[in-house]
Amino acid sequence: MDFSWTDEQLKFRAKVEAFASQLDGNDLIERDRESRFSSANWQRCADFGIQSMSVPAKYHSGDETDFLTAMLAMEGLGYSCRDVGLAFALNAQMWTVQLPVVHAGTEAQQQRYLPRLCDGSLIGAHAITEPETGSDVFAMKTTATPCDGGYRLNGTKRYVSLAPVADMALVFATIDASLGRWGVTAFLVDLDSDGCRRGEPQYKMGLRTVPIGDIEFDNCFIEVAARLGEEGSGLSLSNSFLEWERCCILASQLGTMQRQLEDTIRFARKRKQFGKAIGKFQAVSHRIADMRLRLETARLLLYKVAWLKHSGQPAMLEAAMLKLHLAESFAASSLDAIRVHGGAGYMSENGVERDLRDAVGGLLYAGTSDIQRNIIAGMLGL
């Protein structure tokens, strides 16, 4: 493994960081308070080429980006853009909607969706969670009943990121519940179809700038051509691309952790109590030392998983360890940052508390910490 970067990769990351630093504007606190999605920033990202980084160049006007470079770029995005919800939303579309279409879609599906997902004229969502099924995906209740010319989709998808603003969704449903996991099938569904209804945006603890909501299907007809991959291949498809998603969503979190650490060090040097900088107090300096340790161990795990995926090697165990460690580290370091900042960190106007609220989501999405421990234990033969 070689974790060094070429000059070209580092220059591209710097370019992304310079671009991302302009995205927050002066209204981030207000947008967070109002749970408001910035369609303007989404389009700016598309114009820059962010959404195109997971897609071959023939489907967009930009250059080809290899996975390691894309991962490094998303780390830079998380470092410079304080809107963690935007980074989360971008990664969700790029790796759980676009990449499955790249690898499993027909040429017609790729031509229909990829160019518009890249240029910002379409927004895509990934719909798998249901009211009664989160971690227990095998208990999926949404059905896709075969009929003449296609399928009839019935059921509800819950907690779907981007659902209130999305134009299409990668939807998972079972064609036959008795088949268990072998009945789960993926479909590309236009959300303006008859029998499809998007719920209102739901208010949540963190990641407020990315809207989340339900999608309901009531006898919604979808053509056979809308099926992504073969019947029964849905779960293997979803699990395969979770490893890619974890790399890049977590890369953005890693960038945020780097920025968070630098902000906290600056504050600890500047803030004085009892005649000296608070960073000179052991209780404060030890918290910051722990933040640096979490950052570096998370970085090593992230780069290893990215290297494995780039090399075409399986990384289920490593990706589970990465998801567990980085998500838990981000939450722990966010709490330490608030402790170091004290009352200022507790105030919304400074943005420190927003990182903690956003970090908590990482303990749940893309597989909870408990599920990651189950995966790790299972792969260790326990």
Side-chain angles (χ1 to χ4, degrees):
M1 289 177 287
D2 183 0
F3 291 159
S4 61
W5 302 100
T6 67
D7 289 341
E8 290 75 15
Q9 288 172 318
L10 294 174
K11 287 178 182 177
F12 185 61
R13 172 179 168 146
K15 183 180 177 182
V16 171
E17 287 180 0
F19 162 74
S21 66
Q22 305 169 23
L23 291 173
D24 294 334
N26 298 317
D27 64 342
L28 177 55
I29 293 175
E30 180 182 347
R31 286 192 286 110
D32 177 77
R33 185 179 295 120
E34 297 175 355
S35 294
R36 177 155 43 92
F37 174 70
S38 175
S39 56
N41 279 349
W42 185 271
Q43 188 59 55
R44 291 173 71 186
C45 289
D47 294 341
F48 180 84
I50 297 295
Q51 288 93 315
S52 302
M53 290 194 295
S54 65
V55 174
K58 69 176 183 176
Y59 297 111
H60 57 84
S61 59
D63 297 327
E64 194 90 17
T65 306
D66 67 83
F67 178 66
L68 286 178
T69 302
M71 188 275 299
L72 185 67
M74 298 316 289
E75 183 183 342
L77 182 79
Y79 175 79
S80 287
C81 177
R82 293 177 182 266
D83 186 350
V84 178
L86 176 62
F88 171 82
L90 289 164
N91 278 299
Q93 174 176 294
M94 290 166 62
W95 309 105
T96 67
V97 180
Q98 293 174 194
L99 198 62
V101 177
V102 168
H103 287 276
T106 64
E107 180 63 24
Q109 289 171 335
Q110 292 165 348
Q111 290 290 352
R112 179 175 181 178
Y113 291 110
L114 293 178
R116 298 178 65 195
L117 288 167
C118 289
D119 70 18
S121 58
L122 283 184
I123 295 178
H126 181 272
I128 192 167
T129 299
E130 299 184 358
E132 302 300 328
T133 63
S135 300
D136 185 12
V137 181
F138 295 153
M140 186 176 295
K141 296 290 191 297
T142 299
T143 58
T145 306
C147 64
D148 187 23
Y151 304 83
R152 292 286 178 181
L153 200 59
N154 286 280
T156 299
K157 293 298 180 181
R158 179 146 293 175
Y159 306 140
V160 182
S161 297
L162 290 169
V165 296
D167 303 287
M168 57 81 64
L170 175 56
V171 179
F172 294 83
T174 181
I175 59 169
D176 185 345
S178 69
L179 297 176
R181 67 172 298 161
W182 307 112
V184 178
T185 305
F187 301 91
L188 298 169
V189 181
D190 294 328
L191 297 182
D192 60 357
S193 301
D194 291 340
C196 175
R197 189 185 76 82
R198 288 170 290 183
E200 293 297 315
Q202 296 171 310
Y203 192 73
K204 55 190 183 298
M205 177 181 179
L207 298 171
R208 293 176 180 172
T209 56
V210 51
I212 191 171
D214 294 352
I215 305 176
E216 297 178 0
F217 301 100
D218 182 9
N219 212 30
C220 177
F221 175 75
I222 46 178
E223 298 179 348
V224 172
R227 190 183 68 221
L228 185 66
E230 298 300 320
E231 289 187 347
S233 66
L235 280 187
S236 61
L237 187 71
S238 178
N239 290 338
S240 173
F241 294 106
L242 266 178
E243 293 175 12
W244 302 88
E245 178 203 19
R246 285 170 182 162
C247 273
C248 289
I249 284 184
L250 295 172
S252 294
Q253 285 192 356
L254 185 77
T256 300
M257 289 174 65
Q258 177 73 52
R259 182 259 300 159
Q260 182 184 69
L261 174 64
E262 293 174 7
D263 287 349
T264 303
I265 291 172
R266 278 193 294 269
F267 183 86
R269 287 172 173 169
K270 181 180 178 181
R271 173 71 168 167
K272 289 184 170 56
Q273 292 285 278
F274 305 102
K276 59 182 177 180
I278 63 171
K280 297 298 183 181
F281 293 99
Q282 191 176 70
V284 174
S285 64
H286 282 189
R287 287 195 184 104
I288 294 175
D290 287 342
M291 291 173 70
R292 176 59 188 264
L293 178 62
R294 296 186 197 107
L295 174 69
E296 292 306 320
T297 53
R299 190 191 309 277
L300 289 172
L301 275 171
L302 173 68
Y303 288 5
K304 179 178 181 180
V305 174
W307 176 81
L308 287 169
K309 297 304 295 180
H310 182 72
S311 303
Q313 300 182 53
M316 182 176 291
L317 173 61
E318 291 80 4
M321 292 191 296
L322 167 64
K323 173 63 171 62
L324 174 63
H325 180 67
L326 201 154
E328 297 278 344
S329 293
F330 185 26
S333 289
S334 296
L335 186 56
D336 277 343
I338 288 180
R339 286 171 168 152
V340 172
H341 283 80
Y346 198 65
M347 297 295 104
S348 296
E349 63 187 25
N350 297 311
V352 181
E353 57 85 33
R354 186 176 60 248
D355 283 341
L356 177 59
R357 289 189 285 105
D358 291 341
V360 171
L363 306 178
L364 306 174
Y365 63 69
T368 67
S369 290
D370 292 328
I371 288 296
Q372 304 314 312
R373 290 185 171 93
N374 286 349
I375 294 171
I376 294 165
M379 297 197 72
L380 294 176
L382 300 175

